[in-house]
Amino acid sequence: MTPTEQCTDLTAAERRDRFLSRRSVIEMRARERAQALLDPGSFRELLGPFDRLESPWLPLQGIVPQSDDGVVIARGELAGKPAVIMAIEGAFQGGSLGEVSGSKIAGALALARRDGEAGKPVLPVLLLETGGVRLQEANLGEAVVAEIHAEIIALRRHVPVIGVITGMVGCFGGMSIAASLCSYLVVLPQARFELNGPEVIEQEAGIDELDANDRRLIWSLIGGEQRYETGFADALIEDDAESLRRTIRDLAAQGVPARHRTEAVDDYRRLLAQIDPTGPLDGPGFRQIWPRGAMR
Amino acid sequence: MSAAAPLSSRGRTWFDALADGAQRVETGLGSLLVADATLTGERVRLLAVVPDPRNRFPRARHGELGLEEGWALARHIRDAIAADRSDAKRPIIAVVDVKSQAYGRLEALLGISFSLAAAVDAYATARMAGHPVVALIVGSAISGGLLAHGDQAHRLLALDAPGVTVHAMGKDSAARVTLRSVEALEALGKTVIPMSYDIRQFARLGLLHELIAGIDADAPSAGQIAKVKARLAAAIADIRVDPGDLTSRLNNAEAKIHRAASIEVRRRLAEQWDAS
C-alpha cells in the first residue's frame, strides 16, 4: 500500500487529476482532520471549546491555555460504522499531553471499551501529532499517558485500535508507546515516530551519537517510510484525506489482529540477538535484516 | 560473573533484600534481575532493572530501560502469567530504580518504543489476568522508565527517602525542551505540584497508594526491610479486595483536590458520550 503501488495502474492523466484532487491532511488542524475522516454530517464533538475545559497548570507558568487543551474528541460514523476520533492538535504546545488533554483521550478510550464490552463496538482512531507528555504538567501528563496505555490494551481486545501519524510534528515520548500498542498504525512519509526526540538524544548522548539538525539522517532512522519498510507500521500512504479514510476503513475491516506487535516477544528478541551494537547499522542496512512481516 | 563486582544500585539492594536468598531466574541479561521470592508465605515474582557496565548496548549501561530490557521484562512477566494460568495468580512486584529509557541512535533505528510498549503490555496483561501487580519505587523513576516498569501496576508504593524521585524527564533535557534553565525548572517545581521532582509532592497528586517513611533507602536495616515487606503484603491484600484498574488513582482524597480536572473531564465526557 505504498503511494507508488497505488498509482501504478493509472495513466499519467489520471495521476495528475488525482494529485490535483488531493486534500492534504498535514495542512489540516486536528478538528478538520476529524471532520474529514467522519462521514458527512455525522461529526459530533465532545468536550469542545465551549465546554472550556482548560489546563489548570499552564496559567500558573505564564502560558496561555487553549479551551480544548489541544485535543479534539469527535464521535460519528466512519464508512457507516460508529467511530470515535481522538485528534491531537500539533499546533498547540507541540501536541503535548497534559492532565486535561490526556484525560480526554483516556476517558474516550474507556467509554469505547465500555461500549465494546456491551457488544456495541465503536472504532477508535488516534491521530497522533504529539511530542508526548507535556513537561509543564510533567507527572500528571505521565500519569494520564499511563492511563491511555492501559485503556488501549484493554480496548484492543474488543476492537482494533487504529493510530495515525501524519507529520509534521510526529509522534514521540510516552505517546510513541501508545502508538506501538495500537492494533494498526498508518504513517505518512512526512511522519517521524520514535520514543526519544532527536533533540533529547543529542542532549543525553551527545552530538556524535545524533545530530538533531541532520534531517536526512533523522528521517532515514525514524521517518514514516523507514518505519513502514521495517514493519513498525501497517500502511504508508500519500498525504490525502480520502486515502487516509479508506485506509482506516480497510484496516478496521480486518478486525482485531491475531497478534499485536507488543506480543511478538520471542520473535523480536531473536532478531535483536542478531544485532551487533558495535557494528555500523543505518536505515537501509536495517531494512535488509528486519523485513516488513517480522513482527506479525 | 567476572571478577568485577556488580555495580551497586538501590534497585539491586532492594531486589536482594526482598528476594532474601531466593534463587534467581536466569534472564540472560546482567541488567534484569528476576526471582520468585516468598512474601508472608506467598510466592511473588520480583523484577528489577539494574546497571550493568557490560551491557552489550552501550546506551543502556547505567540502569536505563533499553531495547533488551523491555522485551526481557515482557518475557518474564508473560512466563509467570502462562505458568499460573490455571493456578493461584502470583503477585508481581516491580522494584523501580530506573534512570530513564536508553537514548541512542541504534535505539531509535530499532524501535525502542516497542520494547517499552512490550513491557507496558505485559504488566497490564498480568493486571487484567488477576495477578496483583505492585510497583515499589526505591530510587529514580524517570520518564519511560516508570511508564514501562511500574506505571501499569495496581498500586504504586514509594520510599519516603532522599533520592526517591519521579519525573517525566531528566532535569537537563526537560530544561532544554521547555527552553528554561535548570534553576528555573527547580523553582517551578516548588509551586506547580506536577512539575516537582520531590516524591512527597508526587504523593499529593493521589498517584501513590502509600509513601513508606522511616526507611534508609541505601542501607536498610533488617527491621526496615521487614516493614517494607509488610507494606507490600498489605498492598497485595488490598488489591485482592478491590483490584480496580488505574482509575483507582483518581478515587482518593488527594486526587479530588489536585486532579479535579481529570475527574471533571471523565465525568462530563461520559455525559456527552451518547447523543441526547
Side-chain angles (χ1 to χ4, degrees):
Chain A
M1 236 189 282
T2 66
T4 44
E5 277 167 20
Q6 286 183 345
C7 294
T8 44
D9 53 347
L10 301 178
T11 67
E14 282 169 334
R15 276 202 291 275
R16 186 200 57 211
D17 289 348
R18 191 159 158 175
F19 179 79
L20 291 175
S21 69
R22 278 191 345 195
R23 290 173 62 213
S24 167
V25 184
I26 290 176
E27 289 171 16
M28 292 178 186
R29 305 290 289 262
R31 191 163 285 105
E32 295 171 277
R33 290 177 179 193
Q35 284 164 341
L37 292 176
L38 291 169
D39 297 347
S42 75
F43 173 95
R44 181 169 69 87
E45 183 168 355
L46 314 184
L47 299 186
F50 296 108
D51 287 294
R52 299 214 165 274
L53 284 170
E54 300 178 343
S55 164
W57 307 104
L58 291 179
L60 301 178
Q61 300 169 61
I63 299 170
V64 179
Q66 188 165 295
S67 54
D68 58 12
D69 204 33
V71 162
V72 174
I73 306 290
R75 290 205 65 185
E77 297 194 333
L78 198 152
K81 301 211 170 102
V84 57
I85 312 278
M86 294 152 279
I88 304 174
E89 177 53 67
F92 179 63
Q93 292 293 317
S96 61
L97 290 189
E99 180 183 11
V100 168
S101 48
S103 290
K104 285 169 81 169
I105 295 177
L109 291 165
L111 288 160
R113 169 163 61 114
R114 186 195 67 185
D115 282 3
E117 286 168 352
K120 293 187 293 176
V122 178
L123 177 71
V125 180
L126 290 155
L127 304 186
L128 301 164
E129 286 306 295
T130 170
V133 171
R134 183 180 293 162
L135 291 172
Q136 291 84 358
E137 307 185 25
N139 287 331
L140 274 185
E142 182 157 311
V144 292
V145 167
E147 291 168 11
I148 290 170
H149 295 165
E151 290 298 346
I152 292 173
I153 293 163
L155 177 58
R156 72 185 194 183
R157 295 179 170 187
H158 303 283
V159 284
V161 178
I162 297 178
V164 179
I165 310 173
T166 53
M168 295 300 294
V169 173
C171 180
F172 295 98
M175 289 308 284
S176 75
I177 298 175
S180 304
L181 291 167
C182 285
S183 308
Y184 302 109
L185 203 52
V186 183
V187 293
L188 266 58
Q190 292 85 346
R192 294 173 301 162
F193 166 32
E194 161 44 14
L195 180 63
N196 303 307
E199 294 78 14
V200 181
I201 298 176
E202 186 189 300
Q203 172 75 32
E204 296 283 339
I207 197 162
D208 290 341
E209 181 77 16
L210 190 73
D211 178 352
N213 289 317
D214 188 340
R215 295 171 61 86
R216 215 177 123 186
L217 171 66
I218 302 299
W219 259 267
S220 79
L221 297 170
I222 66 171
E225 189 183 332
Q226 174 72 14
R227 291 311 200 195
Y228 172 72
E229 291 297 341
T230 50
F232 291 133
D234 300 276
L236 174 71
I237 61 161
E238 60 193 1
D239 180 19
D240 173 49
E242 180 55 22
S243 297
L244 178 58
R245 197 190 68 81
R246 275 189 279 109
T247 303
I248 292 170
R249 179 198 63 194
D250 294 347
L251 289 170
Q254 292 181 30
V256 176
R259 186 171 77 163
H260 283 91
R261 287 189 176 83
T262 50
E263 295 169 315
V265 180
D266 293 338
D267 290 339
Y268 193 104
R269 292 185 84 199
R270 239 189 322 273
L271 288 161
L272 205 51
Q274 300 170 20
I275 302 287
D276 173 10
T278 61
L281 185 63
D282 59 7
F286 182 48
R287 289 188 195 192
Q288 297 297 317
I289 57 172
W290 203 282
R292 215 187 281 173
M295 293 177 83
R296 284 298 193 192
Chain B
M1 293 296 284
S2 72
L7 221 62
S8 73
S9 75
R10 280 195 188 164
R12 190 181 293 279
T13 298
W14 281 94
F15 176 87
D16 288 342
L18 299 174
D20 198 17
Q23 170 136 24
R24 288 247 293 272
V25 175
E26 183 52 55
T27 68
L29 295 179
S31 52
L32 178 63
L33 309 181
V34 178
D36 287 317
T38 305
L39 187 75
T40 55
E42 182 179 33
R43 186 174 60 152
V44 298
R45 173 149 289 197
L46 297 172
L47 305 111
V49 176
V50 298
D52 172 20
R54 297 189 308 162
N55 195 313
R56 66 187 197 99
F57 286 89
R59 303 299 319 166
R61 286 181 178 159
H62 307 95
E64 296 92 347
L65 223 151
L67 287 161
E68 293 194 300
E69 287 72 22
W71 288 103
L73 273 170
R75 178 70 279 146
H76 292 283
I77 296 161
R78 288 186 180 277
D79 283 350
I81 299 171
D84 297 352
R85 183 148 289 148
S86 52
D87 231 324
K89 313 285 185 194
R90 87 190 79 168
I92 291 173
I93 300 177
V95 178
V96 184
D97 178 22
V98 186
K99 213 182 116 176
S100 64
Q101 64 270 33
Y103 299 96
R105 183 195 293 221
L106 198 53
E107 282 72 13
L109 181 63
L110 301 187
I112 190 173
S113 66
F114 287 92
S115 175
L116 273 72
V120 169
D121 184 4
Y123 274 117
T125 300
R127 168 165 50 74
M128 291 188 290
H131 293 264
V133 183
V134 181
L136 175 68
I137 303 169
V138 299
S140 298
I142 307 291
S143 190
L146 183 63
L147 282 174
H149 181 53
D151 261 339
Q152 290 302 316
H154 284 105
R155 306 283 187 272
L156 293 174
L157 280 66
L159 304 183
D160 183 11
V164 177
T165 182
V166 178
H167 211 269
M169 194 181 267
K171 279 183 193 173
D172 290 342
S173 286
R176 176 171 175 171
V177 172
T178 58
L179 309 174
R180 288 165 166 152
S181 67
V182 171
E183 294 72 30
L185 205 63
E186 285 173 342
L188 266 177
K190 291 187 171 56
T191 52
V192 184
I193 304 170
M195 290 283 287
S196 177
Y197 286 78
D198 182 338
I199 193 68
R200 292 185 185 176
Q201 295 296 315
F202 183 76
R204 293 176 69 195
L205 299 171
L207 298 168
L208 285 182
H209 176 67
E210 189 172 348
L211 189 57
I212 309 172
I215 308 290
D216 181 337
D218 290 311
S221 68
Q224 290 170 346
I225 292 168
K227 178 175 174 183
V228 170
K229 283 184 174 176
R231 300 323 302 154
L232 287 169
I236 290 164
D238 187 56
I239 293 165
R240 289 213 164 103
V241 173
D242 179 17
D245 54 19
L246 299 202
T247 52
S248 60
R249 290 175 205 168
L250 286 169
N251 302 329
N252 60 70
E254 296 282 13
K256 283 190 174 63
I257 301 166
H258 299 296
R259 289 195 67 187
S262 305
I263 295 166
E264 174 83 347
V265 166
R266 284 187 180 251
R267 185 181 68 76
R268 289 174 62 184
L269 198 56
E271 283 174 4
Q272 297 181 14
W273 183 252
D274 291 306
S276 52

